Amino acid sequence: MSILVDRNTRVICQGITGKAGAFHTRGCLEYGTQMVAGVTPGKGGESMEGVPVFDTVREAVQKTGANATMIFVPAPYTADAILEALAAEIGVIIAITEGVPALDMVYVYEQVRRSSSVLIGPNCPGIITPGQCKIGIMPGYIHRPGPVGVISRSGTLTYEAVWQLTNLGLGQSTCVGLGGDPIVGTSFVDLLRRFQDDPATEAILMMGEIGGTAEEEAAAFVKANVTKPVAAFIAGRTAPPGKRMGHAGAIISGGKGTASEKIAALESAGIVVAESPADMGAAVQRAMHARK
Amino acid sequence: MKIHEFQAKQILRKAQVAVPRSLVAATPEEAHAAFLELGGPLAVVKAQIHAGGRGKGHVAGHPDHRGVQLVRSADQAAAVARQLLNQPLVTIQTGPEGRVVRRVLVEEGCDIARELYLGIVLDRAAAKPVVMASSQGGMEIEKVAAETPDLIFREHFDPRVGLLSYQVRNLCQQLELSGASVRSAEAFMKALCRAFVDLDGTLLEINPLVVTSKGDLLALDAKMSFDDNALFRHPQLTELRDLEEEEPTEIRASKAGLSYVKLDGNIACLVNGAGLAMSTMDLIKLHGGEPANFLDVGGGADVDQVTEAFRILLSDSNVRAVLVNIFGGIMRCTTIATALVQAYKTVGFNVPLVVRLEGTEVEQGRKIIAESGVNIISAEGLTDAAKKVVAVAG
């Protein structure tokens, strides 16, 4: 078991003929993901690494039965690409593209919420169920199948955490990168609920960062609804206020969204918080041990 | 991207938002002429810098040379301009070194019956823009939010539809505006929301929003910033960018497509991914060091961009050591390795380099560095990397 994707997931890539789209479609194929089609308007009929390319998502879904998509189209067209996938009723939409205008996402978010589809991203590394299905840009070899569900707002920090878990002998059920933008399709809370309901997940690791209130909302949800052990890390303890730390969302403004507020909220919900980013894997071990 | 008050007011005037008449001056003579042009009997001279708290701020070393001053003659306008222009203005937001004033805004005076606050931001939790209003104008909104949160009123709006009339009426009721002010508020608030959406704003703040004795609403101050990700559809906005208000190394980094923030420490870091870059800073601090910067090379950077990143880091004279921490995903370790070797050959490394590589194409990346003969200290894992770089930085 896992959440959202598994070995039966049939994936298309929107923007498959672009440089990043092609490179990472290859990576997903090598990992064993069922990459069944690609979409690039105007390039229908071609193929990429044996994967057929279509002009529209609708056609790709009709001809291949795809139920997930990985989006690499340039930022100005990403909102349109997500809405196209939504209209074609693709259940799991993963938008990797970074640099999407925030106001574009207001409409997209509303449409996603009204549908039964799930949007992960934009500006995210993707999702992986180790040994079964990788949709995104993460290096596959660092993962191994196991009991820990991983959720993060950041890409490379997730790899770091996963690598620590794997080296400690703790595999992962599913790992999801939510994305670093102010508005993303899926929140910590959405995924905490899924991991709580997933029998294969025994513990959860979540990595947040400064800015916004998503971590505080996650803490409140864990306190009320999650019975499985949870560990966490918050990036940006040393970030000065008013400076944007790379992610559009990672900024302390008006004294709000600081790491210490988030850590306090997490700890009060009984979550084991790692002090050092080198300690994320061990924090999961501690959280699991405390429950035994 | 941030802009100056005078630029924000030009934008708002064009968008049919009521603002007082004003003129920009870069010399005392221009300030003199501006006062005459506006026609008196009084005007306000306001320093133009990208920082708040100007009214209480003052020129370094001159507590009475305040950043915003009332004047009653053209000569007085020129004298205040002379106090401020080309001088560093110190406010609660600038730090002790202050920010050099290169322009002043000369603005007609207006009669003020009440001062309110109006701001528009993107509310992340609601995934919608929100208008925030308060009767506590002129105060820092963060302070109002902390002390009297029930005095801040909010209306979320759909960017495609804009603020609706009933929402204006709700806000007016809460702000205790009535009669002619409600009509004025309807035009003012709707136009403001439209400007925010049309230009992809991230913040639009009017503080204070003045109610005149006739009941009209007027933007006495205006602060505006824009979504960098949407600038491609507003080419006219990029012309408003004031490079003199920005850190030179940050400008250089943004030209190379890198996300860089200069800090005060002596350990430079080059990392891929914002979350890992922030965590690397945290890690350095945890082991007793001080980070010299935040630098995320991102996923799509090529060898030349990463080489430029090394150059920017090494150009900071405070830097005593560099920590390269890469967990390859989109970014391939081979790209980092090739850039590292190229930077070594073109600029040389005058400080020790601690390198931690993991992820996509890691073996080939390590091989490129090993075969190049570049002298680096390699590290296994985060703690090892942090300990080594703090040790060599002294």
Side-chain angles (χ1 to χ4, degrees), chain A residues 102 104 107 156 160 236 238 249, chain B residues 124 160 227 233 272 282 356:
Chain A
D104 286 8
Y107 180 66
T156 48
E160 180 62 51
T238 56
Chain B
R124 296 163 54 152
R160 290 161 305 151
D227 183 354
R233 52 190 175 210
N272 66 322
D282 296 346
R356 187 277 179 128

Side-chain angles (χ1 to χ4, degrees), chain A residues 23-24 99 101-102 104 106-107 109 137 139 141 153-154 156-157 159-160 233 235-238 245-246 249 254 276 278, chain B residues 124 127 142 160 227 229 233 259 272-276 279 282-283 285-286 294 327-330 332 356 358-359 382-383:
Chain A
F23 179 77
H24 291 288
D104 286 8
V106 173
Y107 180 66
Y109 182 85
I137 62 179
Y141 79 91
R153 259 158 76 171
S154 154
T156 48
L157 187 61
Y159 313 160
E160 180 62 51
F233 174 74
R237 276 182 199 227
T238 56
M245 294 288 133
S276 161
Chain B
R124 296 163 54 152
E142 288 88 12
R160 290 161 305 151
D227 183 354
N229 289 341
R233 52 190 175 210
S259 175
N272 66 322
L276 191 59
S279 304
D282 296 346
L283 188 74
K285 192 121 178 176
L286 204 65
F294 166 94
F327 212 123
I330 272 200
R332 308 170 201 188
R356 187 277 179 128
E358 204 57 69
L382 289 182
T383 303

